[in-house]
Amino acid sequence: MVQNEQSLRIAIQKGGRLSEKTLNLLENVGLEFDSYKNRILVPCRNYDVELLLIRDDDIPEYVQDGICELGFVGHNVTAEAKADVTALRGLGFGKCRLSVAVPKNNGIHSLKDLDGCRIATSYPVLTREHFARQGLSIKTIEISGAVEIAPTLNVADAITDIVSTGGTLKTNGLIELETILESEAQLICTNKAIPAHKQELIDKILMRIGARQQAEKSRYIMMNAPADKVDALCQIIPSLKSPTVLPLAENNMVAIHSVIPTGRFWEVMEELKDAGATGIVILPIENMIV
Ligand code: ATP
Ligand code: ZN
């Protein structure tokens, strides 16, 4: 496909925690790309789209300024940048939180104990805001990496940093005091004017991402059962719509097909079995439009 000024441009992280999942998601919604290796702009083979591969910190501003119409980036990064963009959708990956952490056993039990202290962080804007909201004044020491070592080096009394499991904090003798912000990867969109043909593509991508997310939340379930057990079985299935019930060749037996939430499928399966279902099969769903 020929690329031109009119291509919908999507910013994604070049090489980092969000890159692989973002590229997988784009491919899963039907966008095909050539090799990403050593490239900054990657054309899409089957749509008038191009990817801009950059550092995640630059994504909110590129989208804000309309250089890219869309961006895939952590909410933490957009929030710190105070970017004027619209978050279209949370993507369910890259989950983490921005937390205040302090050295263990040093008598700091609440945020108030940090009044007047030095806080090392890569998130000075969100950090200052958070302390200011509680009427506390602090001095932020801006560090771009390995923030967790700052208290040991006596560069700071506490830190704020991105945490997912908390393992890094523990290794460095730190404990979490409180959460400033919960985050996940988001699809963000520019607030600048978007030409109609690009908006159409954005709507299509958004609809497909939605179908994908809906499918991930659901499983397709099939089972056989005696016809007189159908009512009892249907009560168990927390279906979006009423289940499909099909007669089987075997006398008084039916097949029941339905959709159930992924998170409940073990419970549902056991309950169905106890209520007389046999041959229960549960399948993943590729895409789902409700
Ligand atoms: P870049 O080189 O693009 O600036 P980076 O080092 O700033 O990359 P990564 O470490 O790749 O960023 O993290 C990207 C995003 O992944 C974070 O901004 C955050 O939204 C999310 N994330 C999820 N879990 C974690 C974690 N444990 N530590 C850091 N980021 C995490
Ligand atoms: Zn970054």
Side-chain angles (χ1 to χ4, degrees):
M1 177 152 293
V2 180
Q3 301 297 309
N4 55 50
E5 287 284 290
Q6 302 307 311
S7 296
L8 175 73
R9 200 175 275 162
I10 306 177
I12 70 167
Q13 192 188 18
K14 182 165 178 54
R17 288 174 205 261
L18 303 183
S19 307
E20 197 184 330
K21 288 203 164 129
T22 303
L23 287 165
N24 282 345
L25 177 61
L26 288 169
E27 281 173 7
N28 284 335
V29 299
L31 301 183
E32 294 170 14
F33 297 95
D34 292 324
S35 167
Y36 320 102
K37 292 246 156 58
N38 306 319
R39 300 181 70 165
I40 297 175
L41 269 177
V42 182
C44 174
R45 256 188 262 131
N46 54 344
Y47 285 96
D48 200 3
V49 170
E50 60 187 0
L51 290 185
L52 180 68
L53 285 93
I54 51 180
R55 284 197 60 193
D56 67 346
D57 312 62
D58 296 331
I59 294 175
E61 210 170 313
Y62 271 67
V63 175
Q64 172 181 275
D65 296 346
I67 294 162
C68 298
E69 284 81 15
L70 296 180
F72 287 82
V73 64
H75 172 50
N76 51 310
V77 178
T78 310
E80 176 67 17
K82 294 274 173 245
D84 176 15
V85 296
T86 300
L88 295 180
R89 202 173 277 274
L91 300 169
F93 60 85
K95 289 200 172 162
C96 57
R97 57 194 180 274
L98 177 64
S99 283
V100 182
V102 296
K104 226 175 12 188
N105 311 323
N106 75 344
I108 299 170
H109 302 294
S110 78
L111 215 62
K112 285 195 187 70
D113 298 331
L114 289 171
D115 200 12
C117 286
R118 301 161 303 162
I119 316 285
T121 184
S122 307
Y123 293 82
V125 173
L126 293 172
T127 301
R128 277 196 290 265
E129 246 180 33
H130 187 75
F131 280 85
R133 259 198 306 271
Q134 308 202 23
L136 305 172
S137 98
I138 49 148
K139 182 173 189 303
T140 50
I141 316 281
E142 205 171 328
I143 301 179
S144 59
V147 173
E148 63 281 356
I149 199 75
T152 308
L153 300 177
N154 198 21
V155 173
D157 307 298
I159 66 165
T160 70
D161 204 6
I162 294 295
V163 181
S164 48
T165 59
T168 309
L169 294 183
K170 208 167 167 194
T171 312
N172 287 282
L174 300 169
I175 48 161
E176 268 181 274
L177 207 55
E178 66 179 55
T179 301
I180 296 179
L181 181 89
E182 295 282 353
S183 183
E184 64 175 333
Q186 290 180 328
L187 174 58
I188 58 168
C189 182
T190 191
N191 287 334
K192 301 262 186 229
I194 300 173
H197 72 282
K198 291 191 187 184
Q199 188 60 53
E200 262 173 48
L201 253 178
I202 292 173
D203 293 344
K204 191 185 283 250
I205 291 169
L206 206 55
M207 191 275 288
R208 292 185 184 181
I209 290 176
R212 191 81 200 170
Q213 289 180 327
Q214 190 62 47
E216 274 161 15
K217 281 193 269 170
S218 314
R219 291 284 182 273
Y220 196 80
I221 185 165
M222 303 187 290
M223 74 206 87
N224 295 341
D228 62 352
K229 296 273 170 39
V230 170
D231 284 349
L233 290 167
C234 288
Q235 304 246 322
I236 297 167
I237 303 169
S239 176
L240 297 171
K241 292 189 183 131
S242 58
T244 307
V245 181
L246 306 159
L248 291 178
E250 196 182 333
N251 238 359
N252 291 325
M253 288 293 285
V254 295
I256 303 172
H257 292 201
S258 192
V259 170
I260 57 169
T262 303
R264 283 209 57 212
F265 88 82
W266 283 114
E267 285 162 56
V268 171
M269 202 160 88
E270 284 154 10
E271 284 173 37
L272 291 170
K273 186 169 167 287
D274 292 344
T278 54
I280 304 169
V281 176
I282 295 188
L283 303 168
I285 301 172
E286 185 88 4
N287 282 300
M288 186 169 153
I289 298 168
V290 287

